[in-house]
Amino acid sequence: RTKFTELLQKYGPPTRVGRWCNSAYKLDCKRQLTKLLKEQQCRPIAYIGYCADETKRIKPNRLQSERYPLVELGITEPEILEWARTKDIFNGYYKYVNRQGCMVCPMMGMKALAYIRKFYPKWFDYVIELAKYSEERLGYTMFDRPIDNIQKNLERSKYKL
C-alpha cells in the first residue's frame, strides 16, 4: 500500500481543487481490499456512513456491493450529529465541529483548524507547514484562502475554543 507521505511527495498537498486524497488514498485501500476478498471467493460489502438526508450521494449501480445503514434506519445528519456530541471521542470533536474528513482535509473550515490547533498542536503545525509549502513551492493554496489569512482569522475570538 502506498503511504500518504509518498502520495504527498508525488502530488503535493491535497487542495480544494485537487483532492487526490480520496481517490488515490482512501478509495485505493477499498479497491485493494475488495480485490483480495474476491480472490478468496468472498463477496465484499462496504458499509457507507451516508445519512438518510444524503441519499443523492448513493450510486444505484453499487447497491449490490454497498450498504447504507444510517439511510436504512432513517437516521438524518442532525440526528447522528446530536448523538456524536454525546460521545467523548477525539476530545469532544463534535461539540465544536459538525463534520470533517481527515486532519489535513483542504475542505475543513476555521472551526476545525481551531480545534486541531487546540487539541493537536503538533499536527496543526504540520498542516500549516503543508499549506505554506503548497503556496510557496507549488503556487496554489491548500485551503480556500492564503495561509496568512487563515492564521490571522484563527486569532480572532470567534475561532478560539
Side-chain angles (χ1 to χ4, degrees):
R1 172 141 167 80
T2 306
K3 294 180 182 177
F4 187 77
T5 51
E6 294 171 312
L7 293 169
L8 272 175
Q9 290 175 347
K10 182 176 181 179
Y11 299 115
T15 67
R16 287 181 174 235
V17 176
R19 289 186 293 158
W20 55 261
C21 45
N22 194 52
S23 60
Y25 190 66
K26 295 177 188 176
L27 293 178
D28 183 58
C29 180
K30 179 184 172 194
R31 280 189 289 273
Q32 288 180 41
L33 182 58
T34 298
K35 180 182 174 195
L36 174 71
L37 290 171
K38 284 183 176 182
E39 287 170 357
Q40 297 175 17
Q41 279 68 49
C42 294
R43 187 179 133 230
I45 297 176
Y47 286 81
I48 311 293
Y50 295 163
C51 293
D53 46 1
E54 298 179 290
T55 55
K56 65 183 177 288
R57 297 177 69 189
I58 297 173
K59 296 182 174 128
N61 61 332
R62 295 187 181 162
L63 289 176
Q64 297 300 315
S65 62
E66 295 180 350
R67 297 290 307 269
Y68 303 88
L70 299 175
V71 172
E72 292 167 17
L73 294 169
I75 298 173
T76 63
E77 190 168 353
E79 291 170 324
I80 201 69
L81 181 58
E82 182 181 328
W83 172 84
R85 286 188 169 141
T86 67
K87 306 301 172 201
D88 190 26
I89 54 174
F90 308 120
N91 291 306
Y93 180 79
Y94 290 103
K95 292 176 186 170
Y96 303 103
V97 181
N98 292 346
R99 71 182 321 181
Q100 180 59 39
C102 66
M103 291 174 86
V104 295
C105 183
M107 302 305 285
M108 79 172 82
M110 295 300 294
K111 282 186 179 179
L113 281 167
Y115 169 86
I116 293 170
R117 183 177 66 172
K118 178 175 182 168
F119 292 104
Y120 303 95
K122 288 181 181 178
W123 194 258
F124 176 79
D125 292 343
Y126 178 68
V127 171
I128 296 301
E129 181 184 315
L130 283 178
K132 285 181 179 178
Y133 172 82
S134 179
E135 287 179 34
E136 294 168 4
R137 301 260 173 95
L138 305 175
Y140 57 82
T141 59
M142 186 172 156
F143 299 102
D144 63 341
R145 61 194 83 147
I147 196 63
D148 288 342
N149 291 358
I150 289 173
Q151 289 180 300
K152 287 175 190 171
N153 284 342
L154 284 173
E155 296 306 318
R156 293 181 17 217
S157 61
K158 179 179 175 182
Y159 298 111
K160 293 194 176 179
L161 304 179

